[in-house]
Structures are given as structure tokens and as C-alpha cells.
């Protein structure tokens, strides 16, 4: 697959100078992966009765990381003020971690 993108110029393959970088992900992929992760986090947080505002909105999210496909065997993670949600490559929630400072100061 080739695409024109000056920032992704491949130096090791001269007959396809604009080959897409294997680590690059499209905006559409990142957007859909983030939506999938938010939906799964909302479902699991509701079932586990986590003390947080549900559903998770854009204003509740501190950071979203979407991994390149098949790179790390994970889809990514979503961080909120109180919890971090980690996702497997399948899109299913793998782990939830609580913010230790929130635990110490009783914000959970």
C-alpha cells in the first residue's frame, strides 16, 4: 500500500518512496479505537460500581493512548482523574488501576 505523505518517506525502499510507515496510524483508526475503549471502560466501571462520574466524557479524560496495530499486543489506555483503564489488542478491558494519591487523600 502506498500513500503520499512527505513525512513518511521511506529511505530503505527507493522504488516506493512514499510507503506508509508501519507504526503510523490514521486519525480514523485512533478515533474509533478511543471510542471503543471509552465504551468498554464505561461498561466495566458501571458493573464494578467505581466511584466516578459515568459515563466517561471528554472532559473527564486526562490522556488517551492508542497503540499502533499489532505493535505491543495492546490497544491502548485511557487515563481519568481517578483511574487508568488498560486495553488488550482485542479491545477488551485488561486492567484498571487507581490513582494512588487519590487513595491516600480519600478522593475515591
Amino acid at each position: 500500500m502506498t500513500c503520499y505523505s512527505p513525512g513518511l518517506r521511506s529511505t530503505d525502499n527507493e522504488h516506493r518512496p512514499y510507503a506508509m510507515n508501519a507504526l503510523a496510524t490514521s486519525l480514523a483508526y485512533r478515533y474509533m479505537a478511543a471510542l471503543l475503549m471509552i465504551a468498554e471502560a464505561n461498561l466495566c466501571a458501571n458493573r464494578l460500581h467505581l466511584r466516578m462520574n459515568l459515563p466517561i466524557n471528554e472532559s473527564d479524560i486526562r490522556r488517551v493512548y492508542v497503540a499502533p496495530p499489532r505493535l505491543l499486543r495492546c490497544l491502548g489506555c485511557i487515563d481519568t482523574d481517578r483511574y487508568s483503564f488498560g486495553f488488550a489488542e482485542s479491545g477488551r478491558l485488561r486492567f484498571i488501576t487507581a490513582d494512588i494519591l487519590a487513595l491516600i487523600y480519600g478522593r475515591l
Side-chain angles (χ1 to χ4, degrees), residues 45 48-53 82-83 106-108:
L48 293 170
H49 305 289
L50 297 181
R51 288 189 229 161
M52 61 183 302
N53 295 330
R82 296 181 177 185
Y83 298 98
R107 292 184 289 163
L108 287 181

Side-chain angles (χ1 to χ4, degrees), residues 38 41-46 48-57 60-61 78-85 96-97 107-108:
I38 291 169
N42 278 320
L43 176 70
C44 293
N46 187 28
L48 293 170
H49 305 289
L50 297 181
R51 288 189 229 161
M52 61 183 302
N53 295 330
L54 292 175
I56 299 170
N57 297 316
D60 300 326
I61 298 173
I78 294 176
D79 295 338
T80 64
D81 287 335
R82 296 181 177 185
Y83 298 98
S84 180
F85 301 88
I96 301 172
T97 56
R107 292 184 289 163
L108 287 181

Side-chain angles (χ1 to χ4, degrees), residues 5-42:
S5 178
L8 299 177
R9 185 175 183 105
S10 173
T11 57
D12 60 339
N13 197 348
E14 291 303 320
H15 67 280
R16 289 177 43 192
Y18 296 104
M20 181 172 267
N21 186 340
L23 299 179
T25 56
S26 69
L27 181 60
Y29 174 83
R30 292 191 309 264
Y31 179 77
M32 291 306 296
L35 285 180
L36 175 71
M37 291 189 298
I38 291 169
E40 180 77 6
N42 278 320

Side-chain angles (χ1 to χ4, degrees), residues 59 77 86 91:
S59 60
C77 66

